Amino acid sequence: GETVKAKIAQGLEGLHMLEAADPARETIAIALALRQSLETPGQTGALVTPVRNLARRVAAELRRWDIEIDDSAGRPLSHTAAGVFLCLLAEAAATGFAPVPLLALLKHPFALAGQAAADFRQQARLLDRLVLRGVAPDPGLDGITRAVDLTARNSEGLGAWWRQMAALLRPLEECFAGGDVALSRMVETHIAVADRLSRDAAGVSLLSRDSDGDTAMDFLNDLIAAAADLPVIAPDSYPALFRGLAAKRTIRATYNRHPRLAILGPLEARLQSFDLVVLGGLNEGTWPAAASKDAWFSRPMRKTL
């Protein structure tokens, strides 16, 4: 008995358990532990967890110290800057360019439409303050144009700026305004409008310049090729379809990640060693996972097998 106790005590040396009150405190505690491990020269650390939300939260928390951690699972395309921009564009068009989705689109860093960033943001804020607050304008680009003419006559160039935006967004509005449409045509229009809206003052599309933009364009081209023989779809279903497919396309950074820290899943962590290992998400039902219910085998039958 004493020998067993001694072996258990030896195996538990250096092991600590922290019970966090909520996911936010769990995230901060893990990030602090990994950050502290960097204080010792050459020391390595890793977070091992099957919980993707926890991994993303820890990575975001570490950015407070300018630490970019390597996540073995990568990031969904829908969570990157390019993916978010494309999703916002589709969702704004699907709602008839309602105020909230429209402003989310126009205030995205990729939205420039060939203008300087400061000038574009100033006009977007004017549109927000003078036109889109209070009573919402009529649906569609023409409804916003009428509201601009009525309420923003004395603003500095807002009318001309908005007409330029309306002309740029019009092809996508027409796709959503009609009946069922071919998916390939919808994607092609989506690409064309996104390309024009994301161009900077030098005429270069931020989608092509962004590190994740190439993956986004590859995804769109693959979607066009796959949609060639598909039947027509209802336009309103396109944003959800696009976001769902983009969430399944994973992007892994190839550079600019800290060499001594990593986030791994339980499978990737096997046969690897680190000076500090944090096991995150050790909650019943998550890790270990809940026993699955099977229509064919009970748990005793599985044990027997």
Side-chain angles (χ1 to χ4, degrees):
E2 294 298 327
T3 303
V4 173
K5 289 182 179 179
K7 289 182 177 180
I8 292 176
Q10 182 180 3
L12 294 178
E13 287 182 2
L15 180 66
H16 304 276
M17 183 178 70
L18 173 65
E19 295 184 8
D22 51 63
R25 295 188 182 185
E26 181 182 19
T27 300
I28 294 173
I30 294 172
L32 286 172
L34 294 176
R35 173 67 182 85
Q36 186 179 21
S37 70
L38 297 181
E39 296 296 327
T40 303
Q43 182 169 315
T44 59
L47 165 63
V48 180
T49 180
V51 185
R52 295 304 315 141
N53 283 337
L54 176 62
R56 284 191 287 266
R57 290 167 70 109
V58 170
E61 194 70 27
L62 286 171
R63 292 191 191 101
R64 295 174 58 186
W65 298 291
D66 294 328
I67 298 172
E68 292 289 344
I69 190 169
D70 183 29
D71 188 349
S72 65
R75 290 188 302 161
L77 175 60
S78 58
H79 290 187
T80 65
V84 168
F85 175 72
L86 291 167
C87 290
L88 288 175
L89 178 57
E91 290 163 2
T95 61
F97 296 100
V100 173
L102 175 62
L103 289 173
L105 171 65
L106 295 180
K107 293 184 179 183
H108 190 280
F110 279 20
L112 293 177
Q115 303 171 24
D119 296 338
F120 190 94
R121 300 289 169 263
Q122 180 182 7
Q123 295 296 341
R125 286 191 290 268
L126 281 175
L127 180 70
D128 177 14
R129 190 171 69 251
L130 300 179
V131 179
L132 299 181
R133 296 191 184 188
V135 179
D138 294 336
L141 298 172
D142 291 336
I144 299 175
T145 301
R146 289 193 293 270
V148 168
D149 292 339
L150 289 174
T151 62
R153 293 174 181 172
N154 298 325
S155 63
E156 299 177 1
L158 179 59
W161 177 83
W162 171 249
R163 280 176 169 77
Q164 179 186 353
M165 293 301 102
L168 190 153
L169 298 170
R170 184 79 61 188
L172 198 56
E173 182 187 48
E174 292 173 351
C175 274
F176 279 90
D180 291 350
V181 62
L183 180 58
S184 57
R185 182 194 165 205
M186 180 70 80
V187 178
E188 289 170 355
T189 306
H190 191 187
I191 294 174
V193 174
D195 180 73
R196 291 176 60 194
L197 184 59
S198 64
R199 292 187 180 275
D200 59 15
V204 178
S205 173
L206 296 184
L207 281 173
S208 61
R209 197 173 66 184
D210 182 68
S211 59
D212 301 323
D214 291 340
T215 302
M217 296 309 295
D218 290 342
F219 164 72
L220 288 168
N221 291 328
D222 291 345
L223 185 55
I224 291 176
D229 298 323
L230 293 178
V232 295
I233 64 169
D236 291 345
S237 65
Y238 176 70
L241 172 66
F242 182 84
R243 185 177 285 276
L245 293 175
K248 296 179 180 180
R249 180 65 67 95
T250 302
I251 297 177
R252 282 210 63 191
T254 56
Y255 62 93
N256 198 30
R257 291 296 182 266
H258 203 286
R260 289 159 51 197
L261 296 180
I263 296 178
L264 303 170
L267 182 62
E268 293 86 357
R270 297 178 181 181
L271 301 180
Q272 297 195 55
S273 61
F274 299 87
D275 297 315
L276 171 69
V277 176
V278 181
L279 305 181
L282 290 173
N283 300 314
E284 288 292 339
T286 301
W287 194 13
S292 61
K293 298 178 181 179
D294 196 303
W296 305 105
F297 294 102
S298 65
R299 292 174 67 182
M301 293 170 67
R302 287 186 185 183
K303 183 177 180 180
T304 303
L305 288 172

